[in-house]
Amino acid sequence: MADSAGSSRPSSTFDFVIAANRLPVDRVVDEDGNVSWHRSPGGLVTAMESVMADRDGVWVGWSGEAGEAPEPFDEAGMRLHPVPLSEDEVQAYYEGFSNDTLWPVYHDVIVPAQFHRKWWNVYREVNERFARTLAEVAAEGATVWVHDYQLQLVPAFLRQLRPDVRIGWFDHIPFPPVELFAQIPWRAAILEGLLGADFLGFQRPGDAGNFLRACRHILGMTVKGDVIHVGKVTGGHDVRAACVPISVDFRSMDELARTPSVRARAREIRASLGDPSLLLLGIDRLDYTKGIRHRLKAYEELLKDGSLDGADTTFIQIATPSRERIDAYIDLREHVEGAVGRINGNYSAIGSPAMEYLHQAYGREELAALYLAADVMVVTPLRDGMNLVAKEYIACRHDNGGALLLSEFTGAAEELREAFLVNPHDIVGLKRAILDAAHASPQERSRRMKALRRRVRRNDVQHWAGAFLDALEAAPNKPVRPVRKPTRDHTHEEH
Ligand code: ADP
Ligand code: F6P
């Protein structure tokens, strides 16, 4: 923490500041009015929790509940600084523009994106609020690390308020090809918002490439290698956009999975399902990008054609509740729960369920036990920035057992080449890959898992954070002139 005596900023300012839509914990109030804090869902929180554990800094984000923000507080060795969102803002900024406009466009338009000017206006206002909060808590010359698609305008707003700070932004999800990105009516304003940063990190080289192409084609900017010259927008600074793939805390997952209690729990899980010969596992937020429908279709067909025996096989699908008021998520839940009921009705035996479906959040120990128990981890997203679940599975398999079935359309597939790679749209190929993974010999599984573990151990979350922060520190140059105000609204320029 830095001492800011003599400045107009609050007495507690920080040299290291992160901003994400969510805090790492959500505020939950029960029917009796009791308040508790629960771990927030998603890969961003998993990754940044471990990064912040080693650093003195502040995390700026939303508490997960509409209304006034709680006072800043300390949790798990971190200062948490809540940003308020009203109920209307939750609908327009979070559920609307972030998750019903940007999320579908950035994930290949698996469901149609909705474009509403009101959502955009609120998104911009909330981003400006985040930037103002960051400007208050950042010490002179601080490093500010902004996360994800919900906060793409923050870099330019913040640069305008605080030209002294170093600004990085990391994209946890894919960045779409320019042909899709160009559908967004406010595409230029989004790019300009991001270009307020010094360094922009992406999951895959292809994502960074898509962003660079968008700058060239939509803003007409000069791009040399991975550097964009943005003089005309932000007053003479260059921005670098490069790939820095995120990872998991390998050592802590590995250690956790070795504990006697987790190993015993893994055995208990199998026993409670009637000790099936084959245990398949899926762990995802209940999101249409994760390909849960595709994997259930393939599994159901394998049971139907007799390739798998429902009385001796169990598929555990953990589906974390997510974005439950958005139509596409409501439809997905109905579809998945219908499929689970049908599969169980047709193929289970008493004491040996063909499917175990759990729409709940779990602690790290339980997840580690599930990973350790599963013969095949089924990861089939239609598009995913990285997919940390795949890497967590690897980190937990200290026994070099288990097989990872992994969609080609995840960022993880770029690194994890020894997984059983699949195209989830190809149901025949998916069925074949499930059987290949299920029937692979122990030697084959061990060979693949050893190679996967070597890679994830080396490229763990600390490596990722170090690489990102080094790149931010080394980013081309700091702004030399005051910057012009970020574009307020591009609607009139583009229509
Ligand atoms: P996304 O960020 O899209 O949700 P990732 O696979 O990258 O997907 O990250 C998901 C993270 O959430 C992982 O760290 C995983 O362990 C965690 N997680 C997933 N399901 C649950 C659950 N039911 N309970 C607790 N944590 C979960
Ligand atoms: O990176 C994917 C992501 O959207 C994160 O930004 C977020 O923390 C996570 O998934 C969970 O989503 P949500 O915050 O909407 O529940």
Side-chain angles (χ1 to χ4, degrees):
M1 195 185 296
D3 177 10
S4 66
S7 102
S8 60
R9 288 195 270 283
S11 56
S12 290
T13 59
F14 295 79
D15 293 321
F16 187 62
V17 183
I18 73 165
N21 170 55
R22 274 184 194 280
L23 291 173
V25 284
D26 275 345
R27 188 165 187 270
V28 179
V29 185
D30 72 14
E31 284 161 6
D32 301 325
N34 303 314
V35 174
S36 55
W37 292 90
H38 295 188
R39 189 170 189 276
S40 309
L44 185 162
V45 165
T46 306
M48 288 312 292
E49 243 179 7
S50 336
V51 170
M52 287 299 272
D54 296 341
R55 289 179 168 82
D56 182 20
V58 63
W59 182 318
V60 172
W62 172 48
S63 72
E65 193 197 35
E68 279 179 26
E71 286 299 309
F73 60 103
D74 293 319
E75 172 83 18
M78 262 179 278
R79 186 76 171 157
L80 304 187
H81 194 113
V83 174
L85 291 185
S86 68
E87 180 54 38
D88 279 356
E89 287 168 343
V90 172
Q91 282 174 27
Y93 148 78
Y94 169 70
E95 293 172 334
F97 198 76
S98 296
N99 289 317
D100 223 359
T101 304
L102 295 174
W103 184 266
V105 173
Y106 284 37
H107 289 88
D108 293 356
V109 200
I110 296 165
V111 303
Q114 315 283 330
F115 300 112
H116 297 297
R117 280 165 285 184
K118 176 173 179 253
W119 289 0
W120 161 251
N121 289 333
V122 177
Y123 178 83
R124 207 182 48 213
E125 281 161 23
V126 170
N127 271 247
E128 202 168 359
R129 182 177 311 146
F130 267 82
R132 279 199 307 273
T133 308
L134 293 169
E136 281 167 21
V137 300
E140 196 69 30
T143 295
V144 181
W145 187 353
V146 183
H147 291 264
D148 235 355
Y149 60 101
Q150 301 95 341
L151 302 181
Q152 293 176 103
L153 308 184
V154 166
F157 280 130
L158 180 59
R159 181 168 292 284
Q160 191 207 350
L161 295 166
R162 292 291 304 276
D164 59 295
V165 299
R166 225 26 182 167
I167 306 170
W169 177 81
F170 185 77
D171 185 18
H172 290 255
I173 68 173
F175 197 88
V178 68
E179 292 77 7
L180 292 180
F181 182 74
Q183 291 181 11
I184 301 173
W186 310 280
R187 58 203 183 178
I190 290 172
L191 295 175
E192 290 183 5
L194 290 171
L195 289 171
D198 295 284
F199 176 69
L200 300 164
F202 295 86
Q203 299 279 28
R204 299 172 311 149
D207 297 315
N210 286 343
F211 176 77
L212 293 165
R213 269 188 294 280
C215 290
R216 203 181 298 122
H217 292 301
I218 294 172
L219 297 181
M221 290 196 159
T222 307
V223 175
K224 293 218 172 81
D226 59 9
V227 174
I228 309 133
H229 182 63
V230 288
K232 77 179 175 197
V233 177
T234 55
H237 84 295
D238 287 349
V239 181
R240 189 169 161 240
C243 159
V244 193
I246 199 168
S247 193
V248 295
D249 192 338
F250 183 93
R251 271 159 206 85
S252 81
M253 289 303 284
D254 177 62
E255 268 170 30
L256 183 62
R258 288 175 194 270
T259 56
S261 59
V262 166
R263 294 159 79 138
R265 176 69 187 138
R267 288 191 294 274
E268 193 179 276
I269 288 170
R270 288 192 79 112
S272 71
L273 299 167
D275 267 321
S277 303
L278 176 62
L279 183 58
L280 303 152
L281 174 66
I283 298 185
D284 316 77
R285 272 183 311 100
L286 189 46
D287 195 301
Y288 53 80
T289 59
K290 302 290 182 181
I292 301 171
R293 294 167 65 148
H294 296 65
R295 79 182 68 143
L296 294 189
K297 187 174 178 62
Y299 181 55
E300 189 170 8
E301 287 190 15
L302 287 169
L303 293 168
K304 189 170 178 198
D305 66 26
S307 306
L308 293 176
D309 173 7
D312 201 24
T313 304
T314 298
F315 194 138
I316 303 181
Q317 177 63 56
I318 311 279
T320 323
S322 188
R323 307 173 190 168
E324 293 190 278
R325 298 194 302 189
I326 300 174
D327 286 346
Y329 290 76
I330 295 169
D331 293 349
L332 173 70
R333 183 169 177 190
E334 274 172 18
H335 183 101
V336 167
E337 295 186 353
V340 168
R342 198 173 54 242
I343 291 171
N344 270 334
N346 289 334
Y347 302 107
S348 293
I350 289 175
S352 310
M355 280 222 67
E356 188 83 356
Y357 166 79
L358 298 144
H359 186 241
Q360 296 164 43
Y362 290 93
R364 307 304 293 162
E365 288 80 6
E366 186 70 356
L367 292 182
L370 284 160
Y371 289 136
L372 207 48
D375 300 306
V376 181
M377 184 78 219
V378 186
V379 181
T380 56
L382 309 179
R383 178 59 72 196
D384 205 337
M386 175 54 63
N387 197 280
L388 293 185
V389 162
K391 292 186 172 180
E392 288 173 358
Y393 180 65
I394 293 167
C396 286
R397 295 314 299 239
H398 51 78
D399 58 348
N400 295 321
L404 173 64
L405 188 102
L406 182 62
S407 161
E408 291 166 20
F409 303 115
T410 59
E414 302 250 334
E415 295 170 75
L416 306 178
R417 306 307 295 174
E418 294 81 6
F420 291 83
L421 294 174
V422 284
N423 168 4
H425 297 283
D426 171 10
I427 300 297
V428 173
L430 185 49
K431 287 166 66 180
R432 198 182 315 118
I434 290 174
L435 293 178
D436 287 350
H439 297 145
S441 69
Q443 294 77 7
E444 167 79 358
R445 288 183 179 195
S446 166
R447 181 187 64 75
R448 289 177 185 249
M449 190 53 77
K450 278 184 184 158
L452 292 168
R453 281 174 63 79
R454 262 197 305 277
R455 194 150 318 115
V456 180
R457 182 186 287 116
R458 196 169 52 231
N459 297 329
D460 68 356
V461 72
Q462 303 303 340
H463 178 89
W464 165 73
F468 182 91
L469 293 170
D470 286 350
L472 176 56
E473 188 52 40
N477 55 350
K478 295 192 176 187
V480 288
R481 292 182 265 130
V483 297
R484 88 164 158 84
K485 208 167 162 34
T487 312
R488 293 285 306 171
D489 189 345
H490 274 245
T491 316
H492 59 285
E493 290 179 27
E494 298 211 345
H495 291 279

